[in-house]
Amino acid sequence: MKNNFEFWTHFAEFLTYLELPPRSDGLETNPFSMLISKHFASKIKKGDWNDPLLRQVLPSIAELREVNGFEEDPVGDQESVQEDGILQKYVGRVLVIATPACSIHCRFCFRRNFPFHADPTLIPRLDCWLEKHTGIHEVILSGGDPLMLDGETFQNFVSVILKQEHVNTLRIHTRIPVTLPQQLLNTEKQSHFNCLQKAATQKQIVFVSHVNHPQELDDESHKVFQNLREIGITLLNQSVLLKGVNDNVQTLVALSHKLFEQGVLPYYLHQLDHAKGVAHFEVEDIRAIQLLNEIRNLLPGYLVPRLVRELPRDGSKKPIV
Ligand SMILES: *Cc1c(COP(=O)(O)O)cnc(C)c1O
Ligand code: SF4
């Protein structure tokens, strides 16, 4: 676990580590850099271009193709911006881009083209905004990955949220349990875990992990989820349906089972958002629906995720039927 805070950022070195032959994938001109936590990389099978974890993180020439209908801002995030970093699209819930930093650059990311920047004024601005918007009952810390913030800044975000009486739920959207679990296994005084433990005595906390394949889940993610459950946090998972990663019945069923073994319920299975550069991950709706129907026959209802698509200018994520 000592390598947990290290990242692969160099394409050629990463291929050597994976015992794969060198190749060039237009990385020099790819605006979305390569970033892979070594912990995540350790779960990739060596010598296999088709490894489902590798496919999520390896930059590819396909990303540079212009494809009709794949845009900079596929879900209308920009229209939902209330203020820099504060997005409200749905009634009662607000989403905060707490940091641009991620622990991993997922090649299919819908915010890959988002004009991110770190902003020290966000915490006081969020405080004011929440004071004025008393109809908000849930604040979602997203990003980037909010758990990439240092412990003190994370604590400051959580504090301005906890002090709002009308806010009863704090939600965290994160990939940390499978990318940098150490960030949540550390239980020192100033740690993220400690902060969540205190917060959980005051508000409902919903922790939404992002895991797409059962191979991402290991003993460390299990420990993270166990710790969070022990302090009364609700654990949900969202996945993105991805061609060549999890677009088969066996994988989706195994993912639901393994999440449940680790104490997490599947929440959403997202149809890919049409961000520029991600077209090669697209699974047709008709295939997605077929997959869902098949897994529904093999799983208890509570382990079947909701297949949804997010659309600009819509009041909720839309079920696909
Ligand atoms: C997805 C999303 C939410 C949360 O939606 P739920 O259906 O409650 O999970 C909130 N705000 C924004 C901007 C979102 O994209
Ligand atoms: S925002 Fe989430 S999906 Fe996008 S690159 Fe970061 S961790 Fe991956």
Side-chain angles (χ1 to χ4, degrees):
M1 282 197 321
K2 67 182 190 313
N3 282 336
N4 273 359
F5 287 91
E6 291 172 27
F7 300 89
W8 291 107
T9 54
H10 190 276
F11 190 72
E13 281 172 15
F14 182 54
L15 291 188
T16 307
Y17 158 75
L18 288 175
E19 296 165 15
L20 287 165
R23 75 180 201 197
S24 166
D25 274 87
L27 198 65
E28 318 72 45
T29 55
N30 196 320
F32 191 44
S33 63
M34 186 185 104
L35 180 75
I36 304 152
S37 76
K38 290 198 172 173
H39 179 75
F40 189 87
S42 72
K43 294 177 269 192
I44 296 172
K45 187 163 155 250
K46 293 198 173 166
D48 182 4
W49 290 113
N50 292 322
D51 181 275
L53 274 53
L54 181 60
R55 291 182 74 106
Q56 295 182 52
V57 296
L58 191 73
S60 120
I61 199 97
E63 294 172 32
L64 305 177
R65 262 202 326 258
E66 292 279 341
V67 180
N68 255 343
F70 285 75
E71 301 148 12
E72 296 280 332
D73 178 19
V75 297
D77 264 353
Q78 291 310 319
E79 293 168 38
S80 324
V81 173
Q82 305 286 314
E83 278 190 27
D84 231 9
I86 304 176
L87 274 67
Q88 191 191 0
K89 195 164 169 187
Y90 305 139
V91 174
R93 287 154 287 167
V94 68
L95 185 147
V96 181
I97 306 282
T99 170
C102 290
S103 51
I104 192 170
H105 282 172
C106 311
R107 307 317 300 180
F108 52 84
C109 180
F110 73 107
R111 292 207 182 109
R112 54 179 286 151
N113 308 304
F114 202 78
F116 275 134
H117 46 268
D119 176 1
T121 70
L122 180 54
I123 295 175
R125 286 192 295 106
L126 177 64
D127 194 4
C128 288
W129 192 89
L130 287 173
E131 298 272 350
K132 278 185 284 190
H133 293 81
T134 52
I136 297 291
H137 55 78
E138 176 167 9
V139 181
I140 303 170
L141 289 182
S142 182
D145 198 313
L147 295 174
M148 287 297 282
L149 292 166
D150 63 83
E152 192 186 334
T153 310
F154 182 72
Q155 167 76 61
N156 291 340
F157 269 105
V158 171
S159 298
V160 305
I161 295 164
L162 294 184
K163 68 183 255 239
Q164 315 291 332
E165 260 176 50
H166 54 283
V167 174
N168 52 34
T169 306
L170 163 65
R171 195 193 314 185
I172 313 278
H173 280 180
T174 179
R175 215 151 164 30
I176 288 289
V178 294
T179 54
L180 287 177
Q182 204 51 41
Q183 193 87 333
L184 272 172
L185 290 171
N186 164 10
T187 51
E188 284 161 24
K189 207 156 173 294
Q190 298 301 321
S191 70
H192 300 76
F193 181 79
N194 210 286
C195 173
L196 289 174
Q197 183 165 28
K198 278 190 232 119
T201 64
Q202 298 173 53
K203 308 274 181 187
Q204 298 302 318
I205 313 280
V206 181
F207 188 96
V208 184
S209 58
H210 171 186
V211 180
N212 299 316
H213 194 283
Q215 194 179 314
E216 293 173 46
L217 294 162
D218 58 6
D219 290 346
E220 277 142 299
S221 61
H222 196 177
K223 188 83 186 90
V224 165
F225 292 133
Q226 234 170 4
N227 290 354
L228 293 169
R229 238 151 77 99
E230 274 166 18
I231 58 173
I233 291 182
T234 301
L235 303 179
L236 304 173
N237 183 69
Q238 50 184 346
S239 308
V240 183
L241 187 58
L242 299 165
K243 190 172 175 178
V245 174
N246 57 10
D247 60 335
N248 65 80
V249 171
Q250 196 195 352
T251 300
L252 291 173
V253 167
L255 176 60
S256 277
H257 280 311
K258 201 152 177 195
L259 283 166
F260 188 55
E261 270 168 38
Q262 302 206 349
V264 185
L265 287 176
Y267 178 39
Y268 281 141
L269 178 62
H270 290 269
Q271 262 298 45
L272 189 72
D273 294 319
H274 289 183
K276 200 170 158 213
V278 308
H280 53 297
F281 284 112
E282 170 89 336
V283 177
E284 302 273 323
D285 272 1
I286 188 149
R287 172 74 182 138
I289 293 164
Q290 185 191 13
L291 280 168
L292 247 283
N293 287 336
E294 286 177 41
I295 69 167
R296 200 173 279 119
N297 289 335
L298 298 169
L299 289 167
Y302 57 84
L303 293 187
V304 181
R306 301 159 178 80
L307 178 67
V308 292
R309 161 163 290 127
E310 185 171 348
L311 298 168
R313 294 175 294 279
D314 211 338
S316 72
K317 311 254 191 283
K318 279 290 164 288
I320 301 171
V321 284

